[in-house]
Amino acid sequence: MELDANSVVGDHNKKRQRKKKKNSRFLRNAKGFAKQGIYGRGTHIETDQYNYFINILDAMKNGFEDVEEKVTMANNVFEQTKEQELHLAYNQIVCKVLESLIGFVDAENLERFFNAFADNFRPICSDRFASHVLQKMVEVAFLRSLGNDKLKNPAEDEDSVNTKENGPASKRPKTEVTAISEELYNLQTDFSVEHRQHCNEFVLRVSKFLLNNLEDFVWDSCANHIMRTSILCLAGVHIAKVAFEKSGADMMKNRKLYHVPDEWVEVLREFPQRLEMWPQFSDFPYQEHSSALLGVICIALRATDKQLLKHFGKKILMDAFLKVEQNDAEKEKKIEILDNEDEETNEEGANESEKVKEKEQTSIQLPKVFEYQSAVILLETLLAVAGPKLYTQLYAMLFTGRLSLLAKEQLTNFAVQKLLQNIKEKEDFENVFGELANDIEELLKIGHTGVVEALAGACLRVGAKQAQCIVSLQTALHTPATDKQKGKSFFFCLLKLKPFEVVQADNSAFVHLHGSLIIQHILRFNKPIFLVNCILEIPAEQLVAIFNTPNGSHIVDAFLQSKYIGEKSREKFIRHIEGFYVDLATTKFGSRVVDSCFNAAQESQKSRIVKELADKVNMLKGTPFGRLLYNKFRVETYRLSATQWKASFNANKEKKVDKLFKDIIN
């Protein structure tokens, strides 16, 4: 079996290009409408004003050299809004400019907007344009009122460990440079005590207004987003670009926690306490906006009041997730009637009806939560933030005995993944594994590969059922260890998550994301020797084709960093791909493979790697990735003198050791 070793062109720039095209299209359309006398949706503004803000958008699109330049522009723009703050905020084009720049204005301009908005919260909260500006103002006021000294240390954030994942999916999500600069600017700028106090008061004022008008704003799409941002701010949770993004368990990642005043926490507690007394509370998870609001409240309580979170989560579980609809009883009666009629038919018809009956009964047994996407997303959030007791209740009441069915349903398989990603008790996991182990082949067939990956990841994290997981995967992929010929293809089958028969006819260099992650998990298992031998027996040119892909390159990291793979196996792996280091070094993903191999190699192996690169230095310097390694490994020094190159690396090594011991002594 051979893989096509041709380089695979990645599509990693598509998202960035798509965003640029979207922004360009927005400006192009705005200019086109201006020619027709339409100056943005919302309030009408004068031609000169419209052109001014269009030019500002053009300038922002080109970017800024530094933060100071953006601060200057922001203050100049906001000077043009004096005595027209509300009128301009209601305009589509101006709203986009104000939202982007308000995080960089000085104290005077921001407070002017505080005062202008303060007496008009009700119409602003429901306006599709001005609400964006208000939401951003709350976030900026939150950051300025606290400052950088209120940031919690990572050790204080218990969830920081739980949100770590391995492989390409574990990369910290990229945020816009402007978002990062905005956060740092508002945290680190030395604002006056009075301004910080005004910001504090503004956050409280908006939050209390929303709290007092819950009945009006829970189902309002614009006000609901402002409420979510306010609740997170009251809890000291900051998530870059949270505005108008989909909430849920993913919000737990890439967030920062801050110490907040006790008064803020008291206001925060009133939101869940008031909502749970509503007669409509049991319907909240089944509507998009109210469900998202409950999810944000759970995330906020995780950071501030775990006892209230346990109570609130249990209330959601018992009153909403396990709610029985009135028509369920009618469905059961209907099935019973069909069953009685079928008993009078012939044997063949009875068998068919029995299957239909079992299918219908199975669907009836599923709690209501699994029938609505918004409720499933809320359940995923609860699983991510729940403490041990609440998590056990969620697992026992909603998942036990239903995992096989839930894992195969398109709507609910993500909830099963979230269950596996957060499971901690060994006994609970063994029960979950027992329910899912025999369904791996079917899950792969229907494309629910994320469940299989989460199962393997849980085996690694909990430290249980690892050998059984490998056997189940071998059975599902038709590569049993007893068949040596098929067993050798286990790595390729995992790589593509396809059975042996299909992989035999597949010569592409495609690497499945979840397949790569499963391989990485197995390489970190206690006994990964079978997979290690499979990799070492693959021809080097095929491995290079795999490692030159974005998903495949991370397999090398797992191989070289696993504490259960011996030094001899690592050395053998690094020697195995000798002769192909230049091919790897000249590509984006291959270059990081070379870097990983170099860092893990012994001194003699490092010399061989650099010698191979030095022999084809023109190829190496022909790509930006190769030039980075050329400078990092000091290839030019090696070409001049290998002895001098070794001496320089040893000197650096000694400096690092001295620094390490210096830090320890200090």
Side-chain angles (χ1 to χ4, degrees):
M1 179 177 58
E2 295 183 358
L3 286 173
D4 183 8
N6 294 331
S7 62
V8 180
V9 179
D11 59 350
H12 55 278
N13 288 326
K14 283 186 178 179
K15 289 184 180 178
R16 186 178 299 174
Q17 292 170 356
R18 196 180 301 124
K19 186 165 186 178
K20 287 182 179 178
K21 288 179 182 178
K22 183 179 179 181
N23 290 335
S24 300
R25 194 184 309 120
F26 177 82
L27 276 174
R28 190 167 60 248
N29 291 342
K31 293 174 181 177
F33 283 124
K35 294 177 181 178
Q36 302 173 27
I38 303 172
Y39 302 120
R41 297 173 181 173
T43 55
H44 177 79
I45 60 176
E46 298 299 324
T47 307
D48 292 342
Q49 279 184 320
Y50 185 83
N51 291 332
Y52 172 77
F53 285 104
I54 285 292
N55 290 335
I56 294 297
L57 283 175
D58 264 328
M60 289 166 56
K61 184 181 68 173
N62 297 327
F64 301 89
E65 292 184 2
D66 50 39
V67 176
E68 287 74 16
E69 184 182 347
K70 192 164 188 178
V71 170
T72 302
M73 172 178 277
N75 288 317
N76 290 337
V77 169
F78 274 72
E79 284 293 323
Q80 304 300 317
T81 65
K82 281 187 176 179
E83 299 181 1
Q84 301 183 74
E85 293 89 354
L86 290 177
H87 179 74
L88 292 174
Y90 284 119
N91 181 271
Q92 179 189 20
I93 302 299
V94 184
C95 151
K96 193 174 181 68
V97 175
L98 297 179
E99 184 188 8
S100 301
L101 294 178
I102 200 165
F104 296 91
V105 297
D106 58 24
E108 182 183 352
N109 280 313
L110 183 60
E111 289 180 23
R112 177 163 54 84
F113 265 72
F114 286 170
N115 296 330
F117 276 49
D119 299 326
N120 298 274
F121 283 151
R122 184 172 294 278
I124 290 172
C125 285
S126 298
D127 186 80
R128 55 180 173 165
F129 302 126
S131 61
H132 288 241
V133 182
L134 178 57
Q135 184 177 356
K136 194 67 178 179
M137 286 166 63
V138 173
E139 184 182 341
V140 172
F142 158 74
L143 293 171
R144 290 191 182 185
S145 67
L146 298 179
N148 209 29
D149 57 329
K150 296 293 185 181
L151 179 65
K152 288 186 179 181
N153 296 324
E156 298 179 68
D157 182 9
E158 297 177 4
D159 302 315
S160 60
V161 178
N162 299 334
T163 54
K164 284 185 179 180
E165 295 175 11
N166 297 316
S170 67
K171 284 187 176 180
R172 177 175 173 169
K174 292 184 179 179
T175 53
E176 293 291 324
V177 175
T178 54
I180 297 173
S181 301
E182 178 186 279
E183 182 179 358
L184 292 176
Y185 173 77
N186 287 293
L187 287 172
Q188 297 177 358
T189 303
D190 187 20
F191 295 108
S192 67
V193 176
E194 292 79 8
H195 180 59
R196 292 188 186 278
Q197 182 60 31
H198 287 146
C199 290
N200 184 316
E201 292 170 357
F202 185 76
V203 173
L204 272 177
R205 187 169 184 177
V206 174
S207 302
K208 288 181 178 179
F209 174 81
L210 294 168
L211 180 64
N212 293 331
N213 293 273
L214 272 177
E215 294 83 355
D216 299 326
F217 293 149
V218 165
W219 292 282
D220 186 304
S221 59
C222 297
N224 191 286
H225 282 90
I226 303 173
M227 198 182 305
R228 290 185 233 168
T229 298
S230 299
I231 288 170
L232 290 174
C233 290
L234 291 173
V237 179
H238 182 255
I239 305 169
K241 292 220 162 189
V242 68
F244 289 85
E245 288 187 2
K246 191 176 183 180
S247 62
D250 290 337
M251 291 176 66
M252 289 291 290
K253 300 176 184 177
N254 198 33
R255 79 208 193 322
K256 293 181 181 178
L257 297 181
Y258 294 85
H259 294 284
V260 294
D262 293 338
E263 188 180 4
W264 288 21
V265 179
E266 289 302 317
V267 176
L268 165 63
R269 290 192 183 109
E270 287 194 47
F271 279 94
Q273 288 169 353
R274 289 194 186 184
L275 287 174
E276 69 179 23
M277 291 189 294
W278 287 19
Q280 308 99 318
F281 183 80
S282 60
D283 298 322
F284 280 3
Y286 308 105
Q287 300 175 20
E288 182 181 354
H289 297 304
S290 53
S291 174
L293 179 63
L294 294 184
V296 166
I297 290 174
C298 290
I299 292 172
L301 291 178
R302 181 73 175 93
T304 55
D305 192 334
K306 294 175 184 175
Q307 194 64 32
L308 182 55
L309 169 62
K310 183 170 72 172
H311 167 77
F312 191 63
K314 187 176 180 181
K315 179 82 173 174
I316 295 173
L317 171 63
M318 303 305 294
D319 291 7
F321 287 170
L322 295 174
K323 181 181 178 182
V324 178
E325 292 186 307
Q326 293 180 355
N327 59 354
D328 281 350
E330 296 176 5
K331 289 180 182 178
E332 289 179 0
K333 289 179 182 178
K334 184 178 179 182
I335 293 171
E336 288 175 5
I337 293 170
L338 287 174
D339 181 54
N340 292 334
E341 291 175 354
D342 289 338
E343 287 178 356
E344 300 174 2
T345 60
N346 57 46
E347 185 178 353
E348 182 179 353
N351 290 336
E352 291 179 1
S353 64
E354 191 68 18
K355 291 179 182 178
V356 173
K357 175 181 170 240
E358 288 177 3
K359 185 176 180 181
E360 287 180 316
Q361 284 181 333
T362 305
S363 65
I364 289 171
Q365 290 170 359
L366 287 180
K368 184 182 177 183
V369 59
F370 295 117
E371 299 176 10
Y372 296 82
Q373 184 177 9
S374 59
V376 172
I377 293 174
L378 176 58
L379 173 58
E380 292 173 18
T381 304
L382 262 181
L383 288 169
V385 302
K389 188 172 181 180
L390 177 57
Y391 181 91
T392 301
Q393 290 173 332
L394 290 167
Y395 164 62
M397 295 185 180
L398 298 177
F399 291 94
T400 302
R402 305 182 179 107
L403 280 167
S404 179
L405 175 63
L406 294 173
K408 296 171 188 173
E409 293 293 327
Q410 185 176 3
L411 180 61
T412 57
N413 79 90
F414 295 103
V416 176
Q417 293 181 43
K418 196 61 64 176
L419 177 80
L420 288 165
Q421 289 164 6
N422 291 278
I423 199 165
K424 299 178 182 66
E425 296 297 326
K426 187 174 181 180
E427 184 179 350
D428 288 344
F429 173 68
E430 289 175 348
N431 294 332
V432 170
F433 186 88
E435 286 194 53
L436 292 176
N438 296 327
D439 296 312
I440 291 179
E441 183 172 0
E442 189 173 352
L443 290 171
L444 295 178
K445 279 182 181 178
I446 61 179
H448 292 180
T449 54
V451 179
V452 182
E453 183 274 323
L455 187 65
C459 289
L460 172 63
R461 192 182 64 257
V462 179
K465 297 291 183 181
Q466 294 181 357
Q468 293 91 327
C469 180
I470 293 175
V471 172
S472 297
L473 285 167
Q474 289 173 326
T475 303
L477 297 170
H478 305 167
T479 55
T482 52
D483 190 324
K484 291 185 178 180
Q485 186 61 34
K486 291 184 177 180
K488 290 180 180 179
S489 300
F490 182 51
F491 174 75
F492 286 112
C493 293
L494 279 178
L495 206 64
K496 300 174 185 296
L497 287 185
K498 295 178 181 177
F500 174 79
E501 297 79 11
V502 177
V503 170
Q504 285 295 99
D506 186 353
N507 295 323
S508 69
F510 168 75
V511 178
H512 198 293
L513 171 61
H514 289 144
S516 171
L517 288 170
I518 291 170
I519 290 172
Q520 293 171 54
H521 295 324
I522 294 176
L523 289 173
R524 293 185 171 97
F525 279 5
N526 294 343
K527 295 181 180 179
I529 187 62
F530 181 79
L531 186 59
V532 169
N533 290 335
C534 286
I535 293 174
L536 294 176
E537 291 176 6
I538 297 171
E541 59 271 16
Q542 294 184 31
L543 285 178
V544 170
I546 294 166
F547 297 155
N548 264 326
T549 63
N551 296 332
S553 62
H554 290 273
I555 295 172
V556 178
D557 297 332
F559 193 106
L560 297 175
Q561 294 169 10
S562 173
K563 59 183 179 181
Y564 295 106
I565 295 179
E567 190 67 34
K568 289 185 178 180
S569 295
R570 283 198 290 271
E571 290 177 9
K572 188 175 180 181
F573 175 82
I574 294 170
R575 286 198 307 271
H576 188 54
I577 55 177
E578 284 182 1
F580 293 92
Y581 281 113
V582 176
D583 296 334
L584 288 167
T586 52
T587 64
K588 178 178 180 179
F589 301 105
S591 61
R592 53 180 309 280
V593 170
V594 177
D595 191 29
S596 297
C597 290
F598 185 85
N599 292 332
Q602 301 293 333
E603 287 189 20
S604 58
Q605 288 177 315
K606 287 181 178 178
S607 298
R608 288 200 295 271
I609 292 172
V610 176
K611 182 179 185 304
E612 185 178 329
L613 299 178
D615 290 342
K616 297 182 180 179
V617 72
N618 290 334
M619 288 179 61
L620 187 68
K621 294 169 69 176
T623 67
F625 315 109
R627 284 195 297 273
L628 285 172
L629 295 182
Y630 175 84
N631 294 324
K632 184 174 183 178
F633 296 163
R634 301 176 188 171
V635 177
E636 189 61 35
T637 303
Y638 184 91
R639 294 180 69 199
L640 296 173
S641 171
T643 305
Q644 185 179 348
W645 178 86
K646 288 181 181 179
S648 66
F649 260 93
N650 288 332
N652 279 339
K653 189 175 180 181
E654 289 175 4
K655 285 181 182 178
K656 289 180 181 178
V657 172
D658 291 341
K659 185 178 179 182
L660 176 63
F661 279 101
K662 183 180 178 181
D663 292 341
I664 293 173
I665 292 170
N666 290 338

